């Protein structure tokens, strides 16, 4: 019997994991199925561009995985039974239950309203394509001189504010940040960020907590108000809720607790990658939700699965950070170099060269997904154990 590998989610992490597994393992030994709710791959790191009115290159998953041996199933995941090793899905052909021997959980995350009143009713988000398209439509109807307020001073907030301000110089763009503007950056990085915000005319409300979002304005924790014809909420991400409803061990955030190989600490036949996983990085710090974490985690998980199935050597490559790449509109950027555990160092690349660097990173990530079986290893290894769920269960209890 073929060993059944089920990958849930075809974002950066899920798509990379599925392609890596197809490259590592022989087709006659494994049946790899990739489940995704949408037929296209979404370049999540470009959602601020989509919202600002730019058109992105279509990337159909069917074309990406054609000829790879990966079966693509367009369906929404509605439940996971980690004890029975089944996944419930709903697609155009109705509801179904899929069985697996190994599960790769990569359902990712969505925007996080942080429990702030009025966010769901009055704010826009760009954590996914539907939200970015709704914001795009709203901005297109917005008259000159109106205010767009971006709430959140992280990477997503910085990119959204600068992209909108550059694309629509006729609007009054503002950003509300809980801390100082870019206060985690190096002095050079902070200086460049303020320079760009000044050039684009973006008003910054630093050390500002938003307590409530209303139609036409936000109310701060101090009782003040900030006008906002459009509010864009970018204060972080919340993981998909399905994992928390399973018997998998999860953290308080709903992320699946995993070991260094991205394997669930409670269910050895389950691996979690990307935003869905709580994995520890250098300095015993959790890896942040980002493509920079998700891609190497996906490679780690796929290589670990292949090693365990073929009797090979487990991967021992620690996931570390090198830089934070921030686009500041189409013609400017900031590359902040960091330590292995993601703390800023003095060195930073700024300006047009940084924008080119960031664009190459984005294109490289999309190319890696679009060419899932390219590159090493060139020789697929035969599966020598764990062909069935029963075999995996026996190993787990041995």
């Amino acid at each position: 019997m073929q060993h059944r590998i089920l990958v849930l989610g075809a974002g950066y992490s899920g798509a990379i994991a599925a392609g890596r597994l197809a490259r590592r393992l022989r087709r006659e030994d494994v049946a790899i199925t990739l489940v995704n709710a949408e037929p296209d791959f979404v370049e999540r790191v470009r959602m601020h561009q989509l919202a600002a009115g730019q058109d992105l290159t279509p990337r159909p998953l069917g074309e990406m995985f054609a000829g790879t041996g990966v079966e693509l199933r367009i369906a929404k995941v509605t439940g996971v039974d980690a004890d029975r090793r089944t996944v419930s899905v709903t697609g155009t052909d109705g509801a179904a239950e899929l069985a697996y021997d190994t599960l790769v959980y990569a359902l990712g995350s969505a925007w996080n309203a942080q429990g702030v009143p009025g966010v769901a009713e009055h704010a826009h988000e760009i954590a996914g394509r539907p939200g970015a398209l709704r914001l795009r439509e709203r901005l297109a109807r917005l008259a000159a001189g109106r205010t767009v307020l971006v709430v959140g001073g992280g990477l997503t907030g910085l990119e959204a504010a600068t992209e909108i301000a550059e694309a629509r110089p006729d609007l009054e763009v503002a950003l509300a940040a809980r801390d100082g503007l870019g206060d985690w950056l190096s002095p050079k990085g902070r200086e460049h960020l303020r320079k760009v915000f000044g050039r684009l005319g973006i008003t910054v409300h630093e050390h500002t907590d938003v307590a409530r979002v209303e139609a036409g304005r936000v109310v701060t924790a101090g009782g003040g108000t900030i006008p906002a014809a459009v509010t864009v909420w970018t204060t972080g991400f919340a993981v998909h809720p399905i994992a928390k409803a399973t018997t998998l061990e999860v953290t308080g955030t709903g992320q699946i607790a995993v070991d260094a190989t991205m394997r669930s600490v409670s269910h050895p036949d389950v691996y979690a990658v990307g935003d869905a996983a709580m994995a520890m990085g250098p300095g015993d710090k959790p890896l942040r939700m980002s493509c920079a974490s998700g891609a190497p985690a996906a490679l780690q998980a796929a290589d670990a699965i292949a090693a365990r199935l073929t009797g090979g050597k487990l991967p021992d490559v620690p996931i570390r950070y090198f830089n934070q790449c921030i686009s500041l509109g189409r013609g400017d950027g900031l590359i902040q170099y960091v330590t292995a555990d993601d703390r800023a160092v003095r060195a930073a690349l700024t300006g047009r060269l940084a924008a080119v660097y960031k664009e190459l990173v984005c294109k490289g990530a999309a190319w890696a997904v679009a060419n899932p079986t390219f590159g090493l290893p060139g020789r697929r290894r035969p599966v020598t154990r764990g062909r069935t769920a029963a075999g995996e269960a026996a190993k787990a209890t041995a």
Side-chain angles (χ1 to χ4, degrees):
M1 292 180 62
Q2 288 179 306
H3 186 91
R4 299 162 299 181
I5 301 176
L6 196 57
V7 182
L8 306 183
Y12 290 99
S13 298
I16 289 173
R20 183 77 162 195
L21 287 165
R23 185 66 176 174
R24 283 283 194 185
L25 301 168
R26 299 194 312 183
R27 296 184 188 181
E28 58 265 38
D29 292 338
V30 295
I32 304 171
T33 302
L34 177 61
V35 182
N36 197 60
E38 298 185 58
D40 298 325
F41 171 70
V42 177
E43 289 187 83
R44 191 173 185 179
V45 296
R46 293 190 186 274
M47 290 301 97
H48 57 287
Q49 295 176 234
L50 183 63
Q54 298 165 42
D55 295 324
L56 304 183
T57 302
R59 301 185 184 278
L61 290 167
E63 294 180 9
M64 290 182 177
F65 285 93
T68 65
V70 175
E71 178 189 352
L72 179 64
R73 182 154 186 159
I74 306 304
K76 180 181 179 181
V77 177
T78 57
V80 174
D81 190 326
D83 297 325
R84 291 180 55 240
R85 291 191 173 103
T86 60
V87 173
S88 300
V89 301
T90 301
T92 55
D93 53 351
E97 188 174 78
L98 309 178
Y100 66 84
D101 297 313
T102 296
L103 178 70
V104 180
Y105 186 104
L107 290 180
S109 61
W111 71 318
N112 190 352
Q114 306 285 356
V116 176
V119 171
E121 297 83 1
H122 301 295
H124 288 266
E125 52 91 7
I126 55 172
R129 181 162 55 186
L133 288 173
R134 284 191 293 269
L135 176 58
R136 177 192 181 108
E137 182 182 347
R138 180 70 182 93
L139 291 175
R141 301 196 312 265
L142 198 61
R146 303 300 298 279
T147 298
V148 176
L149 176 65
V150 178
V151 180
L155 301 184
T156 305
L158 299 180
E159 293 191 328
T162 51
E163 200 75 49
I164 294 170
E166 182 181 84
R168 290 290 305 273
D170 58 321
L171 299 176
E172 298 293 329
V173 179
L175 180 136
R178 176 172 294 175
D179 302 310
L181 181 64
D183 61 356
W184 75 93
L185 299 169
S186 66
K188 181 179 179 180
R190 291 195 299 272
E191 180 183 357
H192 184 71
L193 187 60
R194 291 187 181 279
K195 177 182 176 182
V196 173
F197 268 58
R199 173 172 57 80
L200 293 174
I202 301 172
T203 301
V204 181
H205 303 274
E206 298 182 85
H207 307 290
T208 299
D209 271 328
V210 172
R212 188 169 69 255
V213 179
E214 299 177 350
R217 68 176 190 172
V218 303
V219 180
T220 69
T225 61
I226 303 174
V230 174
T231 298
V232 185
W233 196 263
T234 68
T235 62
F237 301 99
V239 299
H240 199 291
I242 283 182
K244 200 169 185 177
T246 70
T247 55
L248 292 165
E249 182 176 330
V250 299
T251 65
T253 61
Q255 292 171 290
I256 298 172
V258 298
D259 63 17
T261 65
M262 305 300 130
R263 193 184 203 181
S264 164
V265 299
S266 63
H267 291 69
D269 49 351
V270 176
Y271 293 73
V273 294
D275 292 354
M278 174 55 75
M280 305 307 290
D284 204 31
K285 293 169 57 177
L287 296 176
R288 60 179 160 92
M289 292 184 179
S290 66
C291 183
S293 305
L299 298 176
Q300 189 93 315
D303 288 351
I305 292 168
R308 289 187 169 110
L309 290 179
T310 63
K313 183 180 179 181
L314 284 173
D316 185 23
V317 181
I319 297 174
R320 57 150 297 161
Y321 297 103
F322 298 94
N323 53 44
Q324 294 180 6
C325 302
I326 311 170
S327 64
L328 302 173
R330 294 299 83 208
D332 209 323
L334 170 60
I335 308 301
Q336 176 62 66
Y337 297 101
V338 298
T339 59
D341 62 349
D342 212 26
R343 291 175 292 113
V345 299
R346 292 183 61 184
L349 183 67
T350 62
R352 177 63 184 168
L353 188 57
V356 172
Y357 185 113
K358 172 65 186 291
E359 181 62 20
L360 289 175
V361 168
C362 293
K363 287 183 176 178
W367 188 92
V369 174
N371 297 271
T373 57
F374 178 83
L376 296 175
R379 184 172 68 87
R380 296 179 176 88
R381 298 175 60 88
V383 170
T384 59
R385 54 184 178 179
R387 286 179 182 268
T388 65
E392 281 291 286
K395 286 198 303 170
T397 56

